[in-house]
Amino acid sequence: MASVLVSIINYRTAELTLAAVQSVLADFDASRTADQSFEGQVVIVDNASGDGSAEVLADWIAHQKAVPVRLVCSEVNGGFSAGHNLGFASGRSEYVLVLNSDAELRPGCLAALLRAAEADPAAGLFAPRLEDADARVQTSTFRFPSAASEIIRGAQTGPVTAALRRWDVPLGPAPDAAQAGWASFACILLRRRMIEEIGPMDAGYFLYFEDVEFSLRARRAGWRLVLVPEARAVHHRGGSGPVKALTAERARLPRYYYASRTRYFYQRGGRLGLLAANLGWAFGRGIAQLRRLVGKPVPKAVSREGRDLWINARDPLGAPVAPGE
């Protein structure tokens, strides 16, 4: 019988976290009903919320009858990677399911992921289909970011995107599995043997890009990503982080986002890789300005991005930047 540990981070999102936990427990029950049993446990890691949400979760657990749910309280808010690493280390299992507090499993999700994992021992990451609450499919599978994709992101211009399509990061709601480099860690199943081989998530990332780096490290070690569209999960996007909303508003993004971006491009290609990515974005912005020559508006960039791209450039592997820094 396969065993799975579900790791969920709580940071001031008690209601969302409880909804995520309850969806997991319902999925455990649905799998038992379908005679697809596995040993399941849930660990909630509270990242030093300090707002009473850890106490709310502890009280909920205390009032349940024999639920396989535990609460681990971190003394510091170390971010996404550090929190999940605590979850990974809190119990033994063949597989680990990373689940956002703003995500919920559809019934049968875990069983489908585990069937795929048992059928393909050479693969280490198994990604479900992520959906909105109304079942609209989200884009949750991607190519690895590169200097070419930064040109696309800077230019925000159709012909540039078309010319460099093979490097465009998002793969859309119906991805070609052969092109998938990584999938969202809002919900993903990881093989424990892979984690033990390549190491835990990089705690040098506070938030963002840690899933990209972990997937790249897995790929370099020979582990494959498998897409499992019959496994379905809901992702209430933006419930656990502000960057999507800020990007839509073209408002300035937090420093920790750019520190993570710098760390990723350095780990992917060294200082030249980071320089190429930043210059690629600047080149793209130059192309965007040329739209004026044909009477088209210049797409607005995120506030101060041209400067913020260089955050931590002198020390890419330095300590992670936390909110407020």
Side-chain angles (χ1 to χ4, degrees):
M1 183 183 297
S3 59
V4 60
L5 182 152
V6 181
S7 177
I8 303 173
I9 292 177
N10 175 72
Y11 183 71
R12 302 180 178 180
T13 56
E15 290 188 10
L16 286 173
T17 299
L18 283 177
V21 170
Q22 289 166 337
S23 77
V24 173
L25 297 178
D27 196 16
F28 286 175
D29 290 340
S31 297
R32 282 193 289 268
T33 301
D35 197 26
Q36 295 174 328
S37 296
F38 51 83
E39 295 179 356
Q41 56 182 309
V42 181
V43 58
I44 305 169
V45 178
D46 181 74
N47 259 355
S49 293
D51 67 339
S53 59
E55 289 76 12
V56 170
L57 297 170
D59 183 68
W60 182 87
I61 294 170
H63 284 83
Q64 304 305 305
K65 292 184 177 180
V67 292
V69 182
R70 290 177 290 113
L71 176 65
V72 173
C73 292
S74 175
E75 295 181 357
V76 297
N77 180 14
F80 188 90
S81 293
H84 278 301
N85 287 344
L86 285 175
F88 296 177
S90 70
R92 299 299 305 164
S93 62
E94 272 186 274
Y95 301 97
V96 173
L97 182 81
V98 174
L99 186 66
N100 269 20
S101 63
D102 64 351
E104 300 172 27
L105 303 186
R106 301 280 197 196
C109 180
L110 264 173
L113 290 171
L114 289 169
R115 281 196 301 271
E118 295 290 285
D120 193 347
L125 307 93
F126 305 86
R129 185 174 76 177
L130 296 187
E131 305 174 339
D132 295 334
D134 62 2
R136 285 182 295 180
V137 181
Q138 299 176 3
T139 294
S140 59
T141 309
F142 310 90
R143 298 181 181 90
F144 289 112
S146 63
S149 72
E150 286 296 285
I151 296 174
I152 295 172
R153 203 172 62 81
Q156 301 179 58
T157 299
V160 174
T161 302
L164 300 177
R165 188 169 302 280
R166 63 182 291 192
W167 293 283
D168 199 12
V169 171
L171 288 173
D176 179 351
Q179 299 182 54
W182 63 282
S184 170
F185 273 35
C187 180
I188 195 164
L189 185 73
L190 307 177
R191 193 182 298 275
R192 175 81 71 171
R193 184 159 53 88
M194 176 188 69
I195 299 172
E196 292 172 347
E197 178 182 322
I198 71 173
M201 297 182 70
D202 184 349
Y205 293 86
F206 182 82
L207 191 60
Y208 298 102
F209 287 93
E210 64 283 293
D211 45 5
V212 192
E213 185 280 330
F214 186 88
S215 300
L216 179 63
R217 195 167 7 124
R219 171 69 66 87
R220 286 172 168 173
W223 293 97
R224 292 186 295 102
L225 166 69
V226 172
L227 308 185
V228 191
E230 62 271 26
R232 300 163 58 213
V234 175
H235 184 206
H236 304 289
R237 290 179 288 191
S240 58
V243 165
K244 284 186 174 64
L246 292 173
T247 301
E249 297 168 3
R250 294 294 186 255
R252 191 177 189 183
L253 303 185
R255 285 179 57 84
Y256 62 77
Y257 173 84
Y258 291 107
S260 292
R261 176 189 174 278
T262 294
R263 190 178 186 91
Y264 163 74
F265 277 115
Y266 179 82
Q267 288 179 316
R268 175 185 168 97
R271 291 196 178 277
L272 286 178
L274 173 59
L275 179 64
N278 289 356
L279 293 180
W281 182 89
F283 179 67
R285 289 309 299 165
I287 294 173
Q289 296 297 325
L290 295 177
R291 292 165 61 103
R292 300 180 191 274
L293 300 178
V294 292
K296 292 187 177 181
V298 177
K300 188 177 180 181
V302 168
S303 177
R304 304 190 188 183
E305 186 160 24
R307 177 185 299 177
D308 288 344
L309 292 177
W310 299 94
I311 287 173
N312 278 17
R314 291 184 178 179
D315 187 16
L317 300 182
V321 174
E325 295 182 6

